[in-house]
Amino acid sequence: MPTRPEFEIQADGLPHLVRVSYFGHVTAAGAEACANEIETMMTGMAAGFTVVTDLTGLASMDLECVPHLTRIMDVSRKHGVGTVVRVIPDRDKDIGFKILSIIHYGSGVQIITCETLAEAEQAIKPAVK
């Protein structure tokens, strides 16, 4: 029986919206693969784009994922991310995103944290043109 991947990336409304969802237990190898895929995708993004990160399906993430997560943040900032919307249904699953955002996004990127995907969908409506 095939296992579910650790992540899924969708480019909805490219070049304006990227959705990243994490599932189950995410390993460093899974986070690195996600970072590689996002880095390739970012070359086609228009400045001011939105990233939605969905942690609804996340059970846990290895500490060794941090360098790959910060790489995603740095690449997103380099390519002009305007808004980051995070779906974190359980605040205990905020595995350091808030503090990493301060360091890697700075004050020029709007960060919105939601508890549900429905809230996130409402939040991205004004952000995505």
Side-chain angles (χ1 to χ4, degrees):
M1 181 173 213
T3 60
R4 183 169 201 168
E6 295 177 26
F7 68 93
E8 179 179 274
I9 301 170
Q10 298 174 335
D12 296 341
L14 188 71
H16 301 290
L17 179 63
V18 175
R19 298 174 186 269
V20 182
S21 300
Y22 292 99
F23 306 104
H25 175 76
V26 178
T27 63
E32 181 177 23
C34 182
N36 290 340
E37 193 172 322
I38 288 174
E39 188 165 21
T40 299
M41 182 182 291
M42 288 296 161
T43 59
M45 299 306 292
F49 66 93
T50 298
V51 174
V52 177
T53 302
D54 184 3
L55 303 183
T56 303
L58 179 71
S60 61
M61 189 176 277
D62 288 342
L63 184 60
E64 293 80 14
C65 294
V66 171
H68 308 298
L69 295 174
T70 59
R71 180 173 143 220
I72 291 168
M73 292 177 182
D74 292 341
V75 166
S76 297
R77 187 190 72 242
K78 176 183 166 191
H79 287 282
V81 66
T83 305
V84 174
V85 179
R86 293 198 183 106
V87 181
I88 305 176
D90 177 357
R91 296 291 180 192
D92 291 337
K93 289 185 181 178
D94 183 344
I95 52 174
F97 280 107
K98 188 173 184 177
I99 192 83
L100 292 173
S101 294
I102 293 168
I103 297 165
H104 293 275
Y105 286 133
S107 61
V109 177
Q110 180 182 18
I111 308 291
I112 302 168
T113 302
C114 304
E115 289 186 10
T116 67
L117 198 50
E119 286 177 50
E121 292 301 321
Q122 290 301 312
I124 65 172
K125 283 183 180 179
V128 178
K129 297 168 179 58

